[in-house]
Amino acid sequence: MGSENRQYLERFFPIASFIAAIIGPKCEVVVHDISDPEHSIVFIENGYISGREVGDASTDLVLKILKSEAYHEEQYIANYKASGKFGQSFRSSTYYIKNDQNKLVGLLCLNIDVTHMEVAAEWVQHILQGGPNPYVMPAAAEKSKEEKQTTEYLQGNADDLLQHMISSVIGKLKIPPERLSSQEKIEVVRELNELGVFLLKGGVSQVASSLSISEPTVYRYLQKLK
């Protein structure tokens, strides 16, 4: 990371501490340096919540943001769901840190652990309704069924993150990887590419292993997709 970009990110370190102090110990606040996806976390408050620390990797959502470049049109994304490796549920938000040239240099992420809140809310709604049927909030009922919900998996280890992303995509097919046709494997590589898997150094190797193909074959598929 260049010294100029480092200065931009360091401005957000005290802001991250400030936010964590206000919201409390159930709020994790992270600053990511996007120039190094394998070790993107450069500052973190309350990292014990997700088990992550400085020097850990990006998340699946961070990689997707970098690949899609949606940050050109947006300043932030707010109030989406995330999950942790310990089974927690989070309400998360991400702010795009840009330099004077409007170039993305980092991310400020808030992850509020709402696991116990969800249990309490379910109990309260059960009492209010007087039965087993869950109460559906009006806002949720009005949402289009086709609306895509932003989600995130908070995992600090790059290898584990890769395996999680690859397994999520292959798992949807419900077919063993060795039985996939060449076209199906190309589609898997296409989806993983869109998710930003190949921004990580070990991406090609893990995808090749998971699909029972060679690394040159993965590169050949990527060339076809261009």
Side-chain angles (χ1 to χ4, degrees):
M1 175 174 56
S3 58
E4 184 177 348
N5 286 348
R6 177 74 186 192
Q7 290 177 359
Y8 273 99
L9 297 182
E10 287 181 347
R11 295 175 189 174
F12 285 84
F13 292 1
I15 295 175
S17 297
F18 177 61
I19 293 171
I22 292 173
I23 301 179
K26 288 294 184 180
C27 176
E28 176 188 76
V29 189
V30 185
V31 178
H32 286 279
D33 167 21
I34 65 163
S35 70
D36 187 8
E38 287 85 8
H39 308 283
S40 68
I41 296 180
V42 292
F43 186 87
I44 188 167
E45 286 282 2
N46 297 332
Y48 61 86
I49 297 175
S50 69
R52 297 181 297 167
E53 58 187 21
V54 170
D56 276 344
S58 304
T59 67
D60 51 350
L61 179 61
V62 171
L63 295 176
K64 187 176 181 180
I65 288 171
L66 298 181
K67 189 65 180 179
S68 67
E69 298 187 349
Y71 52 84
H72 289 306
E73 308 297 330
E74 305 169 341
Q75 297 301 319
Y76 60 85
I77 48 176
N79 298 317
Y80 56 85
K81 293 181 179 180
S83 60
K85 61 182 179 181
F86 304 126
Q88 317 99 306
S89 296
F90 294 91
R91 178 65 63 179
S92 301
S93 300
T94 293
Y95 176 81
Y96 304 140
I97 303 174
K98 302 177 183 179
N99 62 18
D100 292 340
Q101 288 73 46
N102 205 37
K103 179 182 177 182
L104 187 73
V105 296
L107 303 166
L108 174 67
C109 304
L110 280 70
N111 304 302
I112 302 174
D113 188 346
V114 297
T115 309
H116 298 296
M117 297 180 191
E118 289 182 339
V119 173
E122 182 179 352
W123 178 77
V124 170
Q125 295 301 342
H126 177 80
I127 295 298
L128 290 175
Q129 295 301 301
N133 294 328
Y135 178 72
V136 179
M137 296 295 288
E142 293 174 2
K143 282 187 176 181
S144 168
K145 293 182 180 180
E146 297 181 357
E147 181 180 347
K148 293 184 178 179
Q149 177 68 50
T150 299
T151 59
E152 185 174 23
Y153 179 59
L154 306 181
Q155 168 60 258
N157 182 278
D159 288 337
D160 289 344
L161 172 60
L162 277 171
Q163 194 55 55
H164 167 79
M165 297 175 71
I166 294 169
S167 297
S168 296
V169 172
I170 294 178
K172 292 187 296 185
L173 300 175
K174 302 186 185 304
I175 302 175
E178 60 272 12
R179 291 178 54 192
L180 295 174
S181 66
S182 295
Q183 187 56 45
E184 288 171 328
K185 290 180 180 180
I186 290 175
E187 285 303 306
V188 169
V189 170
R190 178 193 60 76
E191 185 170 352
L192 291 173
N193 185 44
E194 291 176 353
L195 292 174
V197 162
F198 301 109
L199 294 175
L200 296 177
K201 292 177 181 177
V204 170
S205 176
Q206 283 213 35
V207 170
S209 177
S210 298
L211 291 177
S212 299
I213 56 179
S214 66
E215 292 184 25
T217 299
V218 175
Y219 284 115
R220 188 168 68 250
Y221 288 169
L222 288 171
Q223 283 296 117
K224 287 183 178 181
L225 294 170
K226 287 186 177 180

